[in-house]
Amino acid sequence: MTKAPETEKETQRIEAFSDGVFAIVVTLLIFNVKLPDPAAVTANGLLAELAKSWTIYLAFAASFFFVLVMWINHHRLFTIIRRSDNNLMLLNGLLLFGVTVVPFPIDCRGVPA
């Protein structure tokens, strides 16, 4: 059994997996943003049609920054953590589960949008 170099952290695989999950979550956020109808754009203008969907853009921006803050904090934690165990992997998985819920908006009635 070979020993890992001292410069290599034991948590690299966890960090790489987590970064992948964060990347997928950020990608999924944009799927809630829809293009305006071309006929309506022609009739009313692009800015007017985009203004009708301001809540979607606000939700996208808020969700993106929420995920960004979580990713930054996750990154900062792993600059301190040097070794992993089952508890760390379980807690990290629960955190990632929480992050993956962000792209699924719920409207005011509690029904998926």
Side-chain angles (χ1 to χ4, degrees):
M1 184 171 182
T2 61
K3 186 177 178 183
E6 292 300 320
T7 58
E8 186 177 328
K9 289 177 26 177
E10 186 181 315
T11 60
Q12 285 179 330
R13 289 188 68 202
I14 297 171
E15 291 175 75
F17 176 76
S18 300
D19 285 346
V21 170
F22 277 104
I24 291 168
V25 167
V26 169
T27 302
L28 291 175
L29 290 175
I30 198 66
F31 289 148
N32 292 323
V33 178
K34 306 290 184 223
L35 292 174
D37 180 37
V41 169
T42 303
N44 304 324
L46 179 61
L47 289 178
E49 288 303 309
L50 290 175
K52 288 179 184 177
S53 299
W54 71 271
T55 56
I56 297 294
Y57 299 115
L58 179 63
F60 170 75
S63 298
F64 182 89
F65 286 109
F66 178 78
V67 172
L68 176 65
V69 167
M70 291 185 76
W71 178 79
I72 290 169
N73 288 326
H74 189 269
H75 176 71
R76 296 280 182 242
L77 275 174
F78 275 90
T79 60
I80 298 167
I81 299 170
R82 297 286 175 217
R83 300 192 58 136
S84 65
D85 62 4
N86 288 339
N87 290 333
L88 175 69
M89 289 189 285
L90 178 63
L91 292 172
N92 189 62
L94 290 173
L95 172 82
L96 294 176
F97 175 76
V99 171
T100 60
V101 174
V102 172
F104 300 102
I106 303 294
D107 73 8
C108 296
R109 296 170 305 216
V111 192

